[in-house]
Amino acid sequence: GDSVTQMEGPVTLSEEAFLTINCTYTATGYPSLFWYVQYPGEGLQLLLKATKADDKGSNKGFEATYRKETTSFHLEKGSVQVSDSAVYFCALIATGANSKLTFGKGITLSVRP
Amino acid sequence: DTGVSQDPRHKITKRGQNVTFRCDPISEHNRLYWYRQTLGQGPEFLTYFQNEAQLEKSRLLSDRFSAERPKGSFSTLEIQRTEQGDSAMYLCASSLGRLMNTEAFFGQGTRLTVV
């Protein structure tokens, strides 16, 4: 079945550091890929998405590129801020009428001033 | 449209009681999902609907859990004979599921505490 694997966490960075959070997936066909973010005390929010190979999703300085050859969708940001501290989830939904949204386990990012 | 709405936001119940949660999706969305999330874990799939049809229910889900979406609009999730292990955040999400499966939008969740 479909699955998403995220790197182990938590991750702690200093402000303005470069961020990479790894995500790989297993799915049939050509899934749509997503990063969701959960800020402390808040609900899940869509951060960015990509729907086909080589697409780059971007939002709030975050980027992720859909790499079909490596089945990956790594999240990057060039300079993190304290306000980026949150839990980040990689997710996919496969093609097909009966596909459901599948999440990775999430990774906690803490950014210190 | 104000997004996905869940009610109540918090529920405290005694073990053995039944509870029911409601989710109102974004109005034009035909897909509705229920997930459960515990502290430090990712959302765990429970079930989902395409319009009023329940397409899948997690095999890990006890038969104490049941969900409905009677007219393809709002949905309810009922837990019968609650147990302490049911304590979690219950999340509802909706999306447009057509030829291209689009992103899901989540509500704020219902936090259940079973005492």
Side-chain angles (χ1 to χ4, degrees):
Chain A
D2 302 337
S3 67
V4 177
T5 302
Q6 292 186 235
M7 59 184 281
E8 295 288 325
V11 173
T12 302
L13 296 173
S14 297
E15 202 165 27
E16 299 184 1
F18 183 83
L19 169 71
T20 299
I21 301 177
N22 289 344
C23 171
T24 57
Y25 67 89
T26 301
T28 54
Y30 297 87
S32 295
L33 303 175
F34 310 95
W35 276 99
Y36 281 83
V37 60
Q38 191 169 32
Y39 298 103
E42 298 187 15
L44 280 163
Q45 302 174 27
L46 178 68
L47 179 60
L48 53 83
K49 68 176 183 179
T51 58
K52 60 184 187 293
D54 300 324
D55 265 3
K56 178 184 285 188
S58 61
N59 186 25
K60 299 182 180 181
F62 290 89
E63 294 182 338
T65 300
Y66 189 142
R67 301 285 188 202
K68 184 156 180 67
E69 64 276 13
T70 53
T71 61
S72 64
F73 193 54
H74 304 322
L75 183 68
E76 297 183 337
K77 186 173 185 181
S79 176
V80 293
Q81 305 301 311
V82 172
S83 58
D84 294 326
S85 298
V87 184
Y88 292 82
F89 297 94
C90 186
L92 69 82
I93 186 164
T95 53
N98 293 341
S99 298
K100 64 182 186 292
L101 189 61
T102 300
F103 284 87
K105 291 187 175 182
I107 186 168
T108 300
L109 170 66
S110 298
V111 181
R112 52 178 182 243
Chain B
D1 189 23
T2 56
V4 179
S5 176
Q6 292 188 245
D7 183 70
R9 293 290 305 278
H10 303 274
K11 178 71 177 179
I12 300 174
T13 190
K14 291 183 179 180
R15 190 173 50 190
Q17 297 294 304
N18 299 343
V19 294
T20 300
F21 309 143
R22 177 180 170 119
C23 172
D24 287 272
I26 293 171
S27 58
E28 66 269 24
H29 285 183
N30 57 347
R31 279 205 177 182
L32 188 147
Y33 301 86
W34 284 100
Y35 287 83
R36 177 171 61 191
Q37 187 178 23
T38 53
L39 193 63
Q41 299 297 314
E44 175 194 4
F45 170 76
L46 297 180
T47 187
Y48 82 111
F49 294 84
Q50 177 96 1
N51 300 311
E52 67 275 9
Q54 188 173 20
L55 295 187
E56 187 175 342
K57 182 177 176 180
S58 170
R59 287 188 292 272
L60 301 176
L61 202 59
S62 161
D63 57 8
R64 297 184 296 106
F65 288 70
S66 62
E68 294 183 341
R69 194 181 183 198
K71 296 182 180 180
S73 56
F74 74 92
S75 175
T76 57
L77 177 69
E78 182 182 16
I79 309 174
Q80 296 182 329
R81 305 181 302 282
T82 54
E83 302 173 355
Q84 287 189 322
D86 297 332
S87 296
M89 178 74 84
Y90 289 83
L91 301 171
C92 177
S94 70
S95 71
L96 272 173
R98 292 177 182 161
L99 293 178
M100 172 64 73
N101 290 316
T102 61
E103 67 269 26
F105 294 86
F106 282 80
Q108 293 293 310
T110 294
R111 181 168 297 283
L112 173 66
T113 303
V114 182
V115 297

